[in-house]
Amino acid sequence: MFRSVTRSSIASQVKAPSFHTKMPAAARSLSSTASRANGSSSDKPLYASQASIPKLPVPSLSSTFHKYLETIQPHITPEEFAHSKSLVNQFLDSSLSNTLQARLEGRAAEKESWLSEWWNEAAYMGYRDSIVPNVNYFYLHKKGLAKGKSQTERAAELIRGVRDFRDLVVSEKLEPEKVKGKPLCTESYKQMFGATRVPTTPADTAVVYPADKAEHVIVMRKNRFFKLDTTGRSASDLTKALNEIKQKADSQGDALPIGALTVDTRDAWTESRRHLLSISPKNVESIQAVESAILIVNLDDQASPSSDGSARSWNIYTGGQDNSAAGKARNRWFDKHQLVIDENAESGFNGEHSMLDGTPTLRMNEFVLSALEKGKIDLEVSSGRNSTPLKPEEIVFETDSTTEGHIKTAIDNFSKIVAEHELIIAQYNECGKNDMKAHKTSPDAWMQMTKQLAYGKMHNGQPAVTYESAQTRKFKLGRTEVIRSASNESKAFVQAMLKEGVSDAERAKLLKAAANRHVQYSAWAADGQGVDRHMFGLRKLLRNGEEMPEVFKDPAFSKTSSWTLSTSQLGSDYLDGWGYGEVVPDGWGLSYSIGNDFMRWGIMTKNGRGKELEEALYWAAKEMKRMMDSAAAASGETAAAKL
């Protein structure tokens, strides 16, 4: 895994899902799906375009290493840069560079994706620490969507919506997402439902159950598990069954939190799972029932901690209401996707990230929430309703003192991890996409420069080594590539903003240059022409007896692939926030969203400076808008004076 050199580079992809594709609204998706089903070019469009999707390219050596040198320059001294440049030239002049490139091109010719197998193992399945906050991510559903319904009524609606989306996937009637009219790879949809991450050594494995074995959800209440069939089930039938589950679980009280085992280290969970299955054949059946479910539905026994997004996020993400030691990993099973519904019927989503990135799960969440809001889900199943009585089945695990010890250790370890962290949902309401577009600047680039300015204010003008996630699903089995957001141009902009005496007109010019550079690198990354995946592939093809090239031992290489800011964007009218953890001990997980009139961040860190970054982001957002408005006004006055 190249832990000493590129662990942070790998981990940043694990925890920063790619969300740059604008998802269609649920209403459009339903309409489009219906038109397909009623006789357009394909009745099964989901995978119909797979054969036409190109393979992930192998960039040229000169292109990759030219970009590499450009991206390391703002982070190191001129003397260090000269040394790094000499190591790059040495590598490019060597026969080994051409040999490694030829091997990579040969692999690309033979496989659907030269990267996929390697990356899934190195970045996800081979990861051995706790997957929260190191892999999983969360979505905080917009508050108030339940509109006065009870917890069980809202949970039933959500289950019905998920079942509709799942049926569109299984029947292949769901339209593929498209970018500029071209379909994206949809292979990952096969691993969305009835799927689980299974702990094994030396790397975890992914298991996807056949659709006919994954017709149920697992409902959790007070750490208890209940199997609930969803085939043809109406919302009213589901609500009745969910009420039965609540009544039974509440009367019996808290069970031993078996689900907490899923947040221990992967090696510890491997051993505790093996022991759990050895206790009784019943446990084998029970864990298969859990792992084969469409997904997990968590009925929490507590209300929303407050209207504050940060407090709500703690609950969705960790099973506790804050970062104290109490109540962590309650009523959760982190190896699978989970819907969480609290006693106030507020909800969220906890995503297991190893098998697929965020665009499909975001699409599912938006589909369900939007379609329910617009009344486009047939809650009572007018056609094909299953009228047989719906009886939830409790799934029971037999335990012993060893398993009880494993659970205590898992909770203790997880509580320590959580207690180290801050999690903040921050929103600035004086600037948004409308302002950014009015100044003819890419909103994503503007947001990235806001982060650079905030970090620069905290660190004497120095740039942050920043990862931004770009999805590469325009290619077969594509997942992500890195947008290296810090640049010579962004550094110049930040230093001008922090220096007295620089005019706003000059600062605006520097922001435009930084934004344009960011847009260019983003396009390269989306086209599979970034730096990091190619360099990863070259190193993977070293054989026994071949020494690691000096360019990869260079301290500058390690420094500039250790992501202090791990960033990723999504936008949805149905979320109040989202987030994930940091990837280096002194760094930040920094998710973000851009509304028409607001800027929002999800901040997670264990460096003790979360609130400081929040305040710096507010300051940077305010200063950038003031500066750009000032520069525009001055430009307008000058133009008027010339008339």
Side-chain angles (χ1 to χ4, degrees):
M1 285 185 62
F2 309 105
R3 182 176 295 268
S4 62
V5 176
T6 62
R7 176 65 225 151
S8 61
S9 175
I10 291 172
S12 65
Q13 319 318 311
V14 174
K15 297 189 291 183
S18 174
F19 293 105
H20 286 283
T21 300
K22 186 176 181 180
M23 295 293 100
R28 292 197 301 273
S29 181
L30 281 167
S31 175
S32 179
T33 298
S35 68
R36 282 284 191 180
N38 289 330
S40 58
S41 60
S42 173
D43 289 338
K44 294 186 175 183
L46 184 58
Y47 306 116
S49 301
Q50 286 296 98
S52 66
I53 294 176
K55 292 183 177 183
L56 183 70
V58 177
S60 70
L61 289 169
S62 61
S63 172
T64 292
F65 283 90
H66 175 82
K67 295 185 186 101
Y68 167 70
L69 286 173
E70 179 199 345
T71 59
I72 68 173
Q73 191 171 14
H75 301 287
I76 57 180
T77 67
E79 294 76 20
E80 290 169 333
F81 180 74
H83 176 66
S84 296
K85 187 174 182 180
S86 70
L87 294 182
V88 166
N89 291 333
Q90 175 185 316
F91 176 65
L92 294 179
D93 290 340
S94 70
S95 60
L96 181 58
S97 67
N98 293 321
T99 298
L100 295 176
Q101 180 76 354
R103 289 173 187 168
L104 193 56
E105 290 171 349
R107 178 181 172 88
E110 294 173 357
K111 292 183 172 291
E112 282 196 306
S113 168
W114 62 262
L115 177 63
S116 178
E117 292 175 22
W118 285 342
W119 195 252
N120 289 346
E121 190 281 329
Y124 299 98
M125 295 304 180
Y127 190 75
R128 308 318 293 159
D129 291 337
S130 170
I131 59 175
V132 178
N134 298 299
V135 179
N136 286 27
Y137 56 92
F138 69 90
Y139 301 148
L140 190 63
H141 292 169
K142 186 177 179 180
K143 195 172 179 67
L145 291 175
K147 297 179 180 177
K149 294 182 174 66
S150 70
Q151 179 187 35
T152 53
E153 288 171 332
R154 184 57 176 172
E157 289 184 343
L158 292 170
I159 292 169
R160 282 288 306 118
V162 168
R163 177 68 198 219
D164 273 13
F165 190 84
R166 176 260 186 198
D167 289 349
L168 289 173
V169 171
V170 171
S171 67
E172 303 178 21
K173 292 180 179 179
L174 188 71
E175 289 281 348
E177 307 103 305
K178 294 182 180 179
V179 173
K180 295 181 179 179
K182 295 184 178 180
L184 300 181
C185 179
T186 52
E187 190 69 22
S188 60
Y189 279 89
K190 296 176 181 177
Q191 302 187 76
M192 180 179 284
F193 301 112
T196 188
R197 177 175 181 151
V198 176
T200 52
T201 55
D204 288 359
T205 56
V207 175
V208 182
Y209 285 80
D212 62 352
K213 303 296 183 184
E215 303 273 4
H216 63 284
V217 296
I218 289 292
V219 180
M220 294 185 68
R221 173 78 173 184
K222 288 188 173 292
N223 299 316
R224 298 180 181 276
F225 300 84
F226 298 85
K227 183 177 180 180
L228 192 62
D229 176 47
T230 65
T231 308
R233 298 300 182 175
S234 68
S236 56
D237 287 341
L238 290 167
T239 299
K240 182 179 178 181
L242 292 169
N243 283 329
E244 290 181 29
I245 288 171
K246 280 188 67 173
Q247 183 178 9
K248 182 175 183 179
D250 291 355
S251 66
Q252 293 177 336
D254 284 331
L256 195 65
I258 301 291
L261 294 171
T262 63
V263 289
D264 210 343
T265 67
R266 302 311 292 178
D267 290 337
W269 173 212
T270 299
E271 293 305 313
S272 60
R273 183 179 188 274
R274 183 178 295 133
H275 177 77
L276 183 67
L277 297 181
S278 74
I279 294 173
S280 165
K282 176 64 176 175
N283 287 350
V284 177
E285 296 177 10
S286 294
I287 206 165
Q288 285 179 346
V290 172
E291 293 180 341
S292 63
I294 293 172
L295 47 62
I296 307 294
V297 178
N298 309 114
L299 294 182
D300 283 357
D301 60 0
Q302 56 194 12
S304 295
S306 72
S307 61
D308 175 62
S310 303
R312 290 176 60 209
S313 296
W314 274 119
N315 185 53
I316 300 298
Y317 202 30
T318 70
Q321 295 196 6
D322 51 37
N323 67 340
S324 67
K328 294 297 169 290
R330 290 191 73 247
N331 215 51
R332 299 288 184 271
W333 187 274
F334 292 102
D335 282 359
K336 290 178 65 68
H337 296 318
Q338 303 176 86
L339 281 172
V340 181
I341 304 96
D342 68 25
E343 284 280 14
N344 284 345
E346 302 297 346
S347 60
F349 179 82
N350 193 304
E352 199 292 302
H353 194 199
S354 65
M355 290 178 281
L356 71 166
D357 292 312
T359 43
T361 61
L362 175 62
R363 186 182 188 187
M364 180 192 73
N365 277 263
E366 283 205 311
F367 176 100
V368 171
L369 298 174
S370 175
L372 286 172
E373 183 182 56
K374 294 175 171 63
K376 292 184 176 292
I377 298 293
D378 183 6
L379 294 175
E380 295 309 308
V381 193
S382 56
S383 176
R385 179 172 178 173
N386 188 341
S387 59
T388 58
L390 177 58
K391 297 296 294 182
E393 173 191 355
E394 184 165 10
I395 304 300
V396 178
F397 289 91
E398 296 181 17
T399 61
D400 60 12
S401 59
T402 299
T403 291
E404 291 173 5
H406 289 158
I407 292 170
K408 182 180 185 305
T409 299
I411 292 175
D412 288 346
N413 290 342
F414 187 53
S415 294
K416 291 174 184 176
I417 292 171
V418 172
E420 294 174 343
H421 281 83
E422 296 172 271
L423 196 169
I424 301 166
I425 302 296
Q427 183 164 314
Y428 182 73
N429 293 317
E430 303 302 322
C431 182
K433 191 179 300 182
N434 291 336
D435 299 289
M436 301 166 190
K437 288 183 175 180
H439 289 297
K440 296 182 173 58
T441 303
S442 156
D444 184 68
W446 184 300
M447 290 289 286
Q448 287 292 330
M449 295 312 114
T450 304
K451 289 188 275 289
Q452 290 296 320
L453 180 55
Y455 184 89
K457 181 176 174 61
M458 295 169 62
H459 296 87
N460 298 314
Q462 291 304 303
V465 179
T466 305
Y467 158 81
E468 180 185 354
S469 179
Q471 75 162 353
T472 54
R473 283 178 56 212
K474 66 194 296 183
F475 304 107
K476 285 184 179 178
L477 306 183
R479 292 199 68 161
T480 58
E481 174 60 278
V482 181
I483 302 170
R484 292 184 163 219
S485 298
S487 63
N488 291 320
E489 291 83 356
S490 71
K491 184 176 182 179
F493 161 69
V494 168
Q495 291 181 343
M497 289 292 292
L498 297 174
K499 184 178 179 180
E500 293 184 5
V502 181
S503 70
D504 286 339
E506 180 61 23
R507 290 166 171 166
K509 185 185 300 183
L510 291 170
L511 173 58
K512 293 281 189 178
N516 289 340
R517 184 269 179 194
H518 184 79
V519 169
Q520 178 62 76
Y521 201 102
S522 299
W524 286 333
D527 286 341
Q529 298 292 325
V531 166
D532 293 88
R533 299 297 182 267
H534 187 196
M535 295 177 85
F536 170 79
L538 294 171
R539 284 173 290 145
K540 284 289 290 183
L541 285 166
L542 283 166
R543 295 175 179 172
N544 290 338
E546 294 175 339
E547 187 175 351
M548 180 70 71
E550 291 297 320
V551 68
F552 297 120
K553 300 180 191 177
D554 185 6
F557 173 74
S558 178
K559 179 179 181 179
T560 58
S561 57
S562 180
W563 311 112
T564 304
L565 298 183
S566 176
T567 77
S568 188
Q569 180 201 158
L570 72 80
S572 173
D573 293 336
Y574 291 94
L575 301 185
D576 281 339
W578 73 289
Y580 49 85
E582 76 290 333
V583 301
V584 293
D586 61 344
W588 291 266
L590 192 56
S591 62
Y592 61 105
S593 305
I594 317 171
N596 287 335
D597 300 299
F598 68 84
M599 306 160 73
R600 183 189 293 142
W601 303 273
I603 303 167
M604 195 164 195
T605 187
K606 63 177 181 179
N607 63 21
R609 303 181 73 183
K611 291 295 294 183
E612 184 181 355
L613 178 61
E614 178 186 15
E615 293 303 318
L617 286 166
Y618 290 148
W619 173 85
K622 181 178 180 180
E623 274 300 294
M624 283 178 61
K625 184 176 185 302
R626 182 208 62 77
M627 177 272 294
M628 291 298 283
D629 287 347
S630 170
S635 175
E637 290 170 1
T638 301
K642 288 181 178 179
L643 289 177

